[in-house]
Amino acid sequence: AAALAGALPALGVDGARRLGLVETAGAGGDDAVRARVDLRPYEAVDGAGTVDWWIASDLGELATGGALRTDHVLGVGGASTTLAQVTVRPQVGRTLDLGTGCGIQALHASRHSAAVVGTDISGRALAFARFNAALAGLGDAALDLRLGSMLEPVAGERFDLVVSNPPFVITPRAAADVPTYEYRDGGRTGDAIVSDLITSVGDVLAPGGVAQLLGNWEVRRGESWDERVGAWLDASGLDGWVVQRELQDPAQYAETWIRDGGTTPERDPAAWRARYAAWLADFASRDVEGIGFGVVTLRRPEADGPRLRRLEEVTGTVRQPLGPAIGASLAAQDWLRARDDAALAAERLVVAEDVTEERYLRPGGTDPQVVLLRQGGGLGRTVQVGTALGGLVGACDGELTVGQIVGALGALLDVGADAVAADVLPEVRGLVRDGLLLPS
């Protein structure tokens, strides 16, 4: 109790007990107390700057020494941090945090949104979210917290930003011995929770609105991950950009999530074996060979034109927070969509400050065999460029238009401006979209 009083000098032991944060620890009487919840400081950086809060959630299995309760409210984990860092953060009117849990995404959104709605199927989670908002110093009306499944509590409404760390874990539905947890298991077969959200979230997006979510998807025999997820993007009718960050085999995936629920082979070997077998049998029933994890960004375009449809695998280190880079790429997509090749040729471009160039030459050679452009921030892309494109990028200092540079390269390479334009303009669009080249 003395240690607790020193840690919480304003609240005190009695205040912590009245709030339900601690309880008397039994034989120790008033001299010993035990935590009833997990309460810890949270400091992070997102696209809007640095945050410093206290976050309460349920105690994890390392603290309790046993399996989790099925209505367990998770604290801030790796997935939560990832979503917070990749979220775009312009000043917006309305934000929806779908599956708010302990409320961490809603708290982030409250700093750049006029109104924030948080939904969850768990009343216990909403209670933690409300408590954490109070700890962060937000007023009672700062978060509009609603009980309900998926988009049901906000049907008919429109939002400028939707963020979701949904219950995307793929858990066997037919196995009686496999517990399901509200914070991670969506109650659907396979990856249906993620596919349903991708194809339906457009119903609540305002024009220009962006939705960002995390998800798992099954990679089935004879089908690539981007075929499967790409079909969901097509059905959504939205701009879509999916980055797969990780791919696990079924056995590794099963072990990860069985342990996450507090079951280990040391603590309960019989339950471990039964649940492991159920997970593998469930995946085998659908010919699942791998499970992907990634970030999905969707947007309802404000204007007609070709849709953004991008699916890529990026497993290396990225520079967080990614939200500003994702937002800049979406803005660049709009900028490019409004310009045909003639209009693009009339623009002046500059090389982004984080871009460097690497040249590889044979010993004694004067002409590089390979030229690479490396991006220091964002997704850290590396682009190999040919002679014409490398020359164009090198001349992009804002003085000359793209068309003027293309004309000079055509004369220098003795191939004509039209041939150079046909070669480099599609690549220039890619460099603008990815932030290596910027409008002057």
Side-chain angles (χ1 to χ4, degrees), residues 37-241:
V37 301
D38 184 298
L39 177 65
R40 66 181 64 205
Y42 170 76
E43 184 175 359
V45 178
D46 65 19
T50 302
V51 298
D52 187 4
W53 297 313
W54 287 84
I55 300 296
S57 63
D58 274 326
L59 292 166
E61 59 95 7
L62 291 179
T64 64
L68 303 180
R69 50 191 295 166
T70 56
D71 62 350
H72 176 84
V73 177
L74 189 67
V76 180
S80 303
T81 302
T82 295
L83 182 58
Q85 290 177 324
V86 303
T87 299
V88 298
R89 301 206 180 273
Q91 293 295 319
V92 296
R94 303 189 76 216
T95 293
L96 169 64
D97 178 13
L98 192 156
T100 192
C102 69
I104 188 62
Q105 307 303 328
L107 290 180
H108 277 279
S110 70
R111 303 191 308 141
H112 61 99
S113 308
V116 179
V117 176
T119 67
D120 208 290
I121 63 169
S122 168
R124 183 177 176 82
L126 295 178
F128 268 110
R130 190 171 293 108
F131 181 73
N132 287 329
L135 283 183
L138 301 183
D140 291 342
L143 303 183
D144 179 358
L145 299 174
R146 307 180 189 178
L147 184 68
S149 177
M150 300 301 288
L151 296 171
E152 292 174 2
V154 295
E157 300 182 43
R158 295 293 180 269
F159 296 88
D160 305 296
L161 176 65
V162 177
V163 294
S164 182
N165 181 12
F168 57 71
V169 176
I170 301 171
T171 304
R173 313 293 349 139
D177 188 49
V178 177
T180 57
Y181 299 95
E182 289 179 339
Y183 74 91
R184 73 178 203 191
D185 300 311
R188 314 278 179 90
T189 298
D191 50 21
I193 192 86
V194 175
S195 66
D196 289 351
L197 184 53
I198 289 175
T199 55
S200 64
V201 72
D203 294 340
V204 300
L205 281 179
V210 173
Q212 293 183 279
L213 60 129
L214 304 180
N216 280 155
W217 38 81
E218 297 181 340
V219 182
R220 298 178 180 178
R221 184 176 296 114
E223 182 182 44
S224 64
W225 77 270
D226 54 325
E227 287 180 278
R228 183 171 183 78
V229 181
W232 304 342
L233 293 187
D234 295 340
S236 75
L238 305 171
D239 282 343
W241 182 7

Side-chain angles (χ1 to χ4, degrees), residues 322-334:
L322 270 177
I326 292 174
S329 185
L330 293 177
Q333 177 71 17
D334 289 340

Side-chain angles (χ1 to χ4, degrees), residues 359-372:
R359 298 187 174 201
Y360 294 85
L361 295 82
R362 297 287 299 169
T366 57
D367 295 325
Q369 303 297 305
V370 177
V371 178
L372 301 177

